[in-house]
Each structure stands twice: as structure tokens, then as C-alpha cells.
Amino acid sequence: MSRIGNNPITVPEGVSIDISDNAITVKGKLGELTQEYSGVSFKIEDQSLTVERNSESKDHKAKHGLYRALVNNMIFGVTNGWSKELELVGVGYRASNQGNKLDMALGFSHNIVLDIAPEVKVETISEKGKNPIIKLTSFDKQLVGQVAAKIRGFRKPEPYKGKGIKFVGEEIRRKAGKSA
């Protein structure tokens, strides 16, 4: 029994869902997403979408909740969108953007210039006295997370001073330094 997979998904107004043999397409005001699937079937009834597994095999039981969660994230993404915020902690750490090119100064001998996918909108916020913030928004949750992880991977937060790129609200486990 999958508790997540059995929950119906409410389809909001303005969202159209197209189900083919092995792919589901969700279209909304922000964009269009497609997900391939296997081992489950989808049914639309009265503005609600239900996911049913084809058999009781272990593989199909595992995919039941997975595809329900993926389709729910797709529906939320094309209606509201997803966003992640990254904070640059460190002296001299800066970020700026021109369109979808992100330019970061992270304490290396050169700046890091990153071309970001056109589906993701990037915005940099720099206020005096506060750490710079990079804000990523898109209708695709997986893509936003992947881009955020790539940016964070350039300079992960270290445990002694907390310098690096971290998610806004992320708690970093701090270690004590050398005891004299």
C-alpha cells in the first residue's frame, strides 16, 4: 500500500494533461513538462488525477508513489513555479548576472562564469552589509535543483568559518577550531 501514491492530485484551472502510452505531458501558464512512466496508469476524473499501479510487484509498488510525486511537482511547477535561493558567505564573494550568464567571484584567481539553462531565470541580490543572494526560478523543479547544486558545488560551505555557498535557511554544522 502506497500512502503517497493513493492520494489523488487536484488539477487546477488552466492546466491541461495529455496522457499517452508511456509519457504524460502537463501544460500550464508557465510552461510545459513531459515525464515518461512505466508500471503505472493515470486516470482523470472531475479535475482530479489518480495513479494506479498495474500489478502488485515490488517494482510497481515503488514506482507508484514516485510517479504520483513527480506529476504533482509538475502540476505545481506549471501553475506556481519553483524557486531556490543561494547565499554567498565570505569576504569578497560576489555574484552578478547579465541575462542567463552568472558571474561569481568566489576567492579563486579568476571569476566563474556559468551559462544557465534558458528555462531557469536567475536574479542576483546585493545589499550593502548583507551577503549576496542568487535566486533561481523555473517551472521545472528538477532543473532548478540541479542548477542550484552545480552552483553550490563550486564552493561548498566549510565547517570552521562557514564560508562558501549555502542555501538560504540551511544550517551548517560548525566545528570548534584548534584548542590552544
Side-chain angles (χ1 to χ4, degrees):
M1 178 182 96
S2 172
R3 293 184 180 162
I4 293 172
N6 288 333
N7 292 338
I9 303 168
T10 57
V11 180
E13 289 292 324
V15 174
S16 65
I17 297 176
D18 181 39
I19 301 169
S20 67
D21 292 341
N22 62 347
I24 183 166
T25 304
V26 178
K27 292 180 189 171
K29 63 181 181 184
L30 296 179
E32 175 181 343
L33 292 170
T34 303
Q35 175 67 48
E36 293 183 357
Y37 64 90
S38 64
V40 296
S41 59
F42 293 96
K43 289 185 181 163
I44 300 175
E45 301 166 347
D46 302 334
Q47 296 298 89
S48 72
L49 179 74
T50 55
V51 184
E52 297 173 356
R53 56 181 171 256
N54 296 342
S55 72
E56 293 298 315
S57 70
K58 191 173 184 179
D59 185 47
H60 290 178
K61 284 182 177 182
K63 289 179 179 178
H64 189 203
L66 168 75
Y67 287 122
R68 190 262 178 211
L70 289 176
V71 171
N72 190 40
N73 289 341
M74 289 164 57
I75 291 172
F76 184 85
V78 297
T79 54
N80 303 331
W82 297 96
S83 69
K84 289 219 182 250
E85 292 184 345
L86 298 155
E87 183 178 3
L88 280 67
V89 180
V91 177
Y93 286 15
R94 292 183 308 278
S96 64
N97 69 309
Q98 291 83 30
N100 270 15
K101 275 191 186 279
L102 182 64
D103 187 9
M104 297 176 288
L106 300 175
F108 296 118
S109 61
H110 58 285
N111 286 2
I112 296 172
V113 179
L114 183 66
D115 285 325
I116 295 178
E119 294 90 13
V120 179
K121 292 179 182 66
V122 65
E123 178 186 352
T124 54
I125 304 165
S126 298
E127 295 180 20
K128 188 169 184 171
K130 293 186 178 178
N131 293 329
I133 292 177
I134 301 170
K135 186 173 183 179
L136 304 167
T137 56
S138 178
F139 56 88
D140 191 351
K141 184 177 184 179
Q142 294 175 8
L143 188 61
V144 168
Q146 186 178 4
V147 171
K150 184 172 179 71
I151 292 171
R152 187 177 186 268
F154 288 125
R155 187 71 98 173
K156 288 188 178 171
E158 53 95 22
Y160 296 103
K161 292 183 180 178
K163 292 171 58 173
I165 301 174
K166 67 179 188 113
F167 294 108
V168 171
E170 179 184 7
E171 292 292 323
I172 296 174
R173 290 184 63 196
R174 303 297 291 270
K175 290 183 178 179
K178 290 195 292 187
S179 57

